[in-house]
Structures are given as structure tokens and as C-alpha cells.
Amino acid sequence: MTFGFAPSSAASLSATAACAHRVLEPAEWAAAGIPLLRNPREVVSGLHARHCPGPSTAVVAVLDHDERLCASASFTRRPAPADGWVFRNALLAQLRRVIPHDLRRRTPVRTAVLLYCREGDARWTEEDGAWMWGLRDACTLHGLRCGAYITLTRDGWQVLGEGRGGRRPSAGSAPEPVALSEAPPRIPRTGGVASEVLRRAAAR
């Protein structure tokens, strides 16, 4: 005869409570001193044009002090309960992949923002709270300043906690011309075969 132990309801409740602690309420987010974007529409339009996010797609981007894009990455959220710890790990993995950390600096000089495309309207959800928790924690572990959390729905985009938003771009809308500020690519000044190859590649 084999004896087993079924998970108790108390254990399930404690697991649920643990996940609940990894969610930031809108008031907590507003009190965290998240820096405001000078031109949120430009940032949103630029990220939307680069990544064309669909539902359940997160786009994490790192901006310098002039809000120029340093790096960005997008990934699709796996179907699972919203958990800030899981989101933190996913965001951290993407940040480590696209940009070195700034942990040696005394104060952060770059800011990470998160654009999340989802179904529903622009009102705050527990899933948003989990993303906020994950973004804040991932920034701390990567030496970045925690920036704006932006939702993208069929109604448009919304910077949660700020009350700023717009109708375009929206989930499912066609990408607009890239508008996000960034440094222009450097053009090599050397002549010869290498320059000719680059010139032909750029002309295609």
C-alpha cells in the first residue's frame, strides 16, 4: 500500500499570496518616483515600428539620458498565471542579451521602459502590476533606472500611472515611420573594396 500527500488548501493559498506580493498597485507605482518620458508618443511609435508587437508581446527598451534608444528586445509571454518574479526573470534575460549591465555605477544613467501589448482596455490589471514589479526588480539587478510601463491595446497606448496616452499606434495598427530618437549609423571613411561593398548593400 502506498501513501501519498495531496497538496493542502493552505499550501495553495500561501502560493497565491506569495504571487500577490509580486504585484505593484497603481498607487505604489506612482509613489516610486518613475521618471516621466519627455515624448512618450515618439518612444511608443519607435518601438512599435521596430517590433510590431502582437497580443501578449513585451518590448523592453533601454534609453540614454536624451531618450535615445540604446537597445531593445521583444518576446512573447508564455500562457501562465501572472507572476512578477517570472516576468522579472524574463526581462532580465532579455536585458542581459542586448546590453551590458551598469552595476558598477553609483547611480543609474540609463533607463529601461516596458511596452506590453495585450487584449482588453487600458485600465490597470493584476497582470500589469506583475509586469511593473518585474520591471522594477530587473532594473535594480541590471543597474538601470526603472522607467515607464506602457500598455498597448486596440484602443491605443497608455502610460500607466501618468494618465498620458493616445490612439495611435494601437495593437494591430500598421507601423508608422520610425520616429524614436537615436544616433545615426556611422559611415566608414575608408575607401577601397570594403566601401564599395557597403555602398552596394545600402543601395539594395
Side-chain angles (χ1 to χ4, degrees):
M1 183 178 293
T2 303
F3 293 92
F5 294 92
S8 65
S9 58
S12 300
L13 287 173
S14 63
T16 303
C19 290
H21 288 302
R22 296 191 286 259
V23 171
L24 286 180
E25 299 284 343
E28 294 176 296
W29 183 256
I34 306 300
L36 301 179
L37 289 169
R38 290 194 297 270
N39 193 337
R41 188 183 186 281
E42 184 176 308
V43 172
V44 174
S45 297
L47 294 178
H48 181 263
R50 282 173 175 76
H51 296 275
C52 299
S56 299
T57 300
V59 180
V60 61
V62 179
L63 310 177
D64 67 11
H65 65 281
D66 290 323
E67 287 192 4
R68 291 179 299 185
L69 183 65
C70 299
S72 65
S74 62
F75 60 98
T76 303
R77 181 199 160 186
R78 294 178 180 178
D83 185 349
W85 185 78
V86 174
F87 292 169
R88 185 277 306 273
N89 291 343
L91 291 169
L92 196 56
Q94 296 297 324
L95 288 171
R96 287 171 173 165
R97 185 173 63 85
V98 298
I99 198 164
H101 67 74
D102 279 344
L103 294 172
R104 291 187 178 89
R105 295 182 179 273
R106 291 186 176 181
T107 57
V109 296
R110 296 183 291 191
T111 303
V113 300
L114 178 61
L115 172 71
Y116 183 57
C117 182
R118 62 169 173 76
E119 302 289 353
D121 55 35
R123 288 177 293 183
W124 181 89
T125 66
E126 284 195 6
E127 182 184 24
D128 294 324
W131 279 115
M132 290 171 166
W133 191 98
L135 176 63
R136 185 186 64 177
D137 217 42
C139 287
T140 299
L141 294 173
H142 207 63
L144 301 170
R145 180 186 294 111
C146 181
Y149 172 69
I150 308 159
T151 57
L152 189 69
T153 66
R154 296 198 177 275
D155 295 332
W157 57 272
Q158 179 81 17
V159 184
L160 265 66
E162 295 184 19
R164 293 189 292 175
R167 293 187 177 181
R168 293 189 63 84
S170 64
S173 67
E176 299 178 5
V178 175
L180 191 61
S181 299
E182 62 179 344
R186 294 182 180 179
I187 301 175
R189 297 183 179 181
T190 57
V193 179
S195 293
E196 182 64 16
V197 171
L198 289 172
R199 186 187 66 77
R200 290 178 181 175
R204 290 176 184 172

